[in-house]
Amino acid sequence: MKRLMWTVGLLAFVSVFLVISPIRQAGASPAPVPRQMDVIMIGDRLVDVSHSLGVVPAAMSVRCSIWPLCKPLQSAVQVLGCPNCLIKKKADPLLQFAQKHNTKRVIIEKSDPFCIYVPKLQLEKIATFLEGKGFEIAYVDFTQGLGGAVRQTAALLGCTEKVDEVLAEYATTMEKTRKKMAGQQFAKSVVILRGTYQSTTGKTFLRIEAPGGYADRFLLKPMGIENVGGKMIAVGEKPSKGHVGIRKLDGLIAAAPDAIVMTGDAIAVQKAMAEAIHKNPGLGDVPAIKAHAIYSLPGYIDSSVIEYPLILRRWADALCRK
């Protein structure tokens, strides 16, 4: 009972201090407010690069439900739905916005794949719905590397003077991250829990990030860490957008992760975990819980391409085992 009270107390402590904050360099001066341009952008990476150059579009089609940066941008940029939805609707939300605001410029991201969860999705198809309707359509090619994409975006937006600064900061940050990670030992296994918290009802919803997704490719693989979340997923259950919803956390006992990563609304995971431990004290023997290795970290779906070095650094700092 004493150990149970200590574990629940720790989770309460974590809920106060382990919150997702903006990914910024320590001591950095406040970033200038981006200017809005009368253009519609299609693609998360494109909007992310544009934002780093100090420009946001009038409207955008991005994976808003799983891209963390979308939420703060929503207050200034009209969201037209995700690109897959836009194609299914034959670009109708875009056409309506363009007609209402007399917006003629559209910039489309070219990536291969754009989204590993929908591998056949090609954003260029959106242009077929705009043909003959007076639009000025341009493309930014991300298949040849980030540097070229940043330069193309800057040329289209008329802010080429910022390219060198953005790319130099990216290169410097990535090099610092690599040096920090070199020779370090990391947790051997993790479970990634994405939380959703409904403030109006207090209800919580949890999803496990299935193995083989974005976190595995971009964050865990560079550290040699295994995603053991699959051990909590029922046989035959297929992920949706790389995640599987769960109601109970008892599966953590079988998965036995060395660390637990919380993405999305950390409070939802903390609340559910405290309740689960109260009902099943055996969860206190899970290595991650026993060692208090529970971390709130930003999710990553290869959208925040400019911020990637800092996101990787944060994950590495949390999961390092000296």
Side-chain angles (χ1 to χ4, degrees):
M1 180 60 70
K2 183 177 181 181
R3 182 181 64 183
L4 172 61
M5 293 178 64
W6 164 249
T7 304
V8 174
L10 172 74
L11 289 170
F13 176 88
V14 168
S15 69
V16 176
F17 290 98
L18 291 183
V19 296
I20 295 177
S21 58
I23 306 298
R24 297 188 55 224
Q25 294 276 18
S29 57
V33 176
R35 62 187 175 92
Q36 189 169 62
M37 186 171 289
D38 188 24
V39 61
I40 299 171
M41 293 185 181
I42 313 296
D44 318 345
R45 300 171 185 86
L46 172 61
V47 176
D48 189 69
V49 167
S50 172
H51 182 262
S52 74
L53 292 167
V55 176
V56 293
M60 62 184 179
S61 175
V62 298
R63 295 173 291 177
C64 204
S65 64
I66 53 178
W67 182 32
L69 184 59
C70 181
K71 189 173 182 178
L73 286 179
Q74 278 183 293
S75 61
V77 183
Q78 178 68 48
V79 179
L80 304 175
C82 74
N84 193 34
C85 296
L86 199 61
I87 289 176
K88 290 179 179 179
K89 295 178 180 179
K90 298 182 179 181
D92 186 60
L94 187 157
L95 293 170
Q96 289 188 28
F97 179 89
Q99 182 177 19
K100 181 178 180 180
H101 299 276
N102 195 30
T103 303
K104 298 298 183 182
R105 292 188 68 196
V106 177
I107 305 178
I108 301 175
E109 171 189 327
K110 179 182 178 182
S111 296
D112 187 23
F114 169 69
C115 180
I116 63 173
Y117 301 145
V118 191
K120 295 183 180 180
L121 178 61
Q122 298 292 329
L123 305 196
E124 299 96 308
K125 186 176 180 180
I126 293 173
T128 63
F129 303 115
L130 310 181
E131 293 175 355
K133 293 181 170 63
F135 287 99
E136 176 188 338
I137 302 173
Y139 299 88
V140 173
D141 189 355
F142 281 79
T143 65
Q144 302 302 312
L146 181 62
V150 172
R151 295 185 188 282
Q152 288 178 41
T153 304
L156 289 169
L157 300 179
C159 52
T160 54
E161 73 282 355
K162 297 183 180 180
V163 169
D164 290 341
E165 178 185 349
V166 169
L167 292 179
E169 184 175 351
Y170 177 91
T172 299
T173 307
M174 180 59 81
E175 182 62 23
K176 288 181 178 179
T177 296
R178 287 172 176 163
K179 287 183 177 180
K180 178 71 175 180
M181 293 172 60
Q184 298 291 333
Q185 296 294 320
F186 298 95
K188 294 181 180 180
S189 63
V190 304
V191 164
I192 304 171
L193 298 173
R194 181 177 178 85
T196 300
Y197 176 75
Q198 289 185 343
S199 57
T200 55
T201 63
K203 292 183 179 180
T204 61
F205 301 91
L206 302 184
R207 291 184 293 162
I208 296 172
E209 182 162 345
Y214 283 107
D216 286 32
R217 298 185 185 195
F218 291 94
L219 301 169
L220 301 183
K221 185 177 179 179
M223 293 180 276
I225 300 174
E226 180 186 4
N227 178 356
V228 293
K231 296 180 180 180
M232 298 178 65
I233 299 174
V235 176
E237 191 166 7
K238 295 183 179 180
S240 173
K241 296 181 180 179
H243 294 75
V244 173
I246 59 169
R247 293 181 178 275
K248 296 182 178 181
L249 290 170
D250 293 346
L252 284 169
I253 295 175
D258 295 318
I260 295 172
V261 172
M262 304 178 292
T263 63
D265 291 327
I267 187 175
V269 182
Q270 294 155 358
K271 186 173 183 288
M273 195 172 295
E275 292 172 354
I277 294 172
H278 180 74
K279 293 178 181 178
N280 183 0
L283 285 166
D285 290 323
V286 172
I289 297 176
K290 192 173 184 177
H292 314 312
I294 306 168
Y295 309 101
S296 174
L297 295 170
Y300 187 75
I301 58 165
D302 195 29
S303 290
S304 302
V305 288
I306 297 296
E307 296 79 16
Y308 170 65
L310 286 174
I311 294 173
L312 177 60
R313 169 67 178 271
R314 184 172 290 198
W315 279 63
D317 281 345
L319 299 175
C320 179
R321 298 292 178 265
K322 297 181 180 179

